[in-house]
Amino acid sequence: MPTHLADKQPMVGNLRRAYDQNRAILDNHDLEVDVTTAIIGTGNIGSSVARHLVQGGEPVVLAARDQSHAESLAAELGALASSASVGDAVSQAETVVMAVWLDTEKELISQLSDALVGKVVIDPTNPIGPDGHGGYTTTLPEGQSAASIVADLLPDGAHFVKAFGTLGADALGSAANRPSGRAVLFYATDDDAAAETVERLIRVAGFDPVKAGGIEAAGRLELMRGDLHQNGGLGGRLLNADEARASL
């Protein structure tokens, strides 16, 4: 090989590697942009999760019992947010956040069962209801979690994870990307695909993910008895990642 060509071989190899690396980054970016998260429910949890995801660059499609609420929130959030009926939102999305009361979630799973196959289903619900005295109480017996009920209702092929419900509404809305260091959102799942997805979404939303365990541990994340819920055993505290891991 002529000397002048041999001298250029390392440079050509470096250029090729740089091209391949940049191509991979662009391909991954394209894949991420194409992924849509459906958020069913636009109350305190649903609206906060939607805002955080959009601020992190994540497309969302919103649905609600009163569709005008979803349309209004989508218009507020801008180009990365859209609204649709519940069925259409689920069909458009790879991940579905069920930000509704437990009884409503049970009804939706029954109605949407086939459409949830292959989807990552995120359950942030807390099994609470009015106590008749202006406060709230748990609606489930000791030892039973909302997550265990939802997991039993979901069809085979759905990827289930408990997440986005471990902070009070005010903290969930205000603690994303806090200057003092990211607060933790705990999650629980037995599904690797669900874990990968929810960790990415938690980070996009401005928090750090920490796995509490499988679905058998999900009760620790729920009000009123959960020791890993901000307004349960944590006594109002927000934890960083080191503190969260130490609490497990």
Side-chain angles (χ1 to χ4, degrees), residues 130-152:
D131 63 4
H133 304 287
Y136 289 91
T137 186
T138 184
T139 58
L140 296 178
E142 185 77 34
Q144 188 176 37
S145 68
S148 66
I149 293 172
V150 173
D152 286 343

Side-chain angles (χ1 to χ4, degrees), residues 116-120 154-159 191:
L116 294 173
V117 174
K119 310 287 186 181
V120 173
L154 285 170
D156 292 341
H159 305 283
D191 187 295

Side-chain angles (χ1 to χ4, degrees), residues 62-172:
L62 308 172
R65 188 186 300 274
D66 185 337
Q67 192 56 22
S68 66
H69 293 167
E71 293 167 356
S72 176
L73 181 57
E76 174 191 336
L77 295 180
L80 285 177
S82 61
S83 63
S85 67
V86 172
D88 286 346
V90 171
S91 68
Q92 293 175 33
E94 289 71 30
T95 301
V96 181
V97 181
M98 293 284 195
V100 294
W101 293 101
L102 178 58
D103 285 346
T104 302
E105 185 172 9
K106 290 157 65 175
E107 294 173 8
L108 288 173
I109 291 171
S110 176
Q111 296 166 10
L112 299 167
S113 183
D114 290 345
L116 294 173
V117 174
K119 310 287 186 181
V120 173
V121 179
I122 299 177
D123 167 42
T125 58
N126 286 294
I128 58 174
D131 63 4
H133 304 287
Y136 289 91
T137 186
T138 184
T139 58
L140 296 178
E142 185 77 34
Q144 188 176 37
S145 68
S148 66
I149 293 172
V150 173
D152 286 343
L153 293 173
L154 285 170
D156 292 341
H159 305 283
F160 178 59
V161 56
K162 183 80 182 186
F164 282 111
T166 57
L167 300 183
D170 289 344
L172 181 64

Side-chain angles (χ1 to χ4, degrees), residues 144-222:
Q144 188 176 37
S145 68
S148 66
I149 293 172
V150 173
D152 286 343
L153 293 173
L154 285 170
D156 292 341
H159 305 283
F160 178 59
V161 56
K162 183 80 182 186
F164 282 111
T166 57
L167 300 183
D170 289 344
L172 181 64
S174 64
N177 295 305
R178 61 178 184 169
S180 60
R182 286 192 167 201
V184 156
L185 290 180
F186 289 102
Y187 73 93
T189 186
D190 298 305
D191 187 295
D192 290 342
E196 181 179 356
T197 295
V198 83
E199 287 203 356
R200 184 183 72 80
L201 290 177
I202 288 172
R203 290 190 179 101
V204 168
F207 298 89
D208 276 343
V210 170
K211 185 176 182 179
I215 293 303
E216 80 283 349
R220 299 182 66 188
L221 279 57
E222 298 178 356

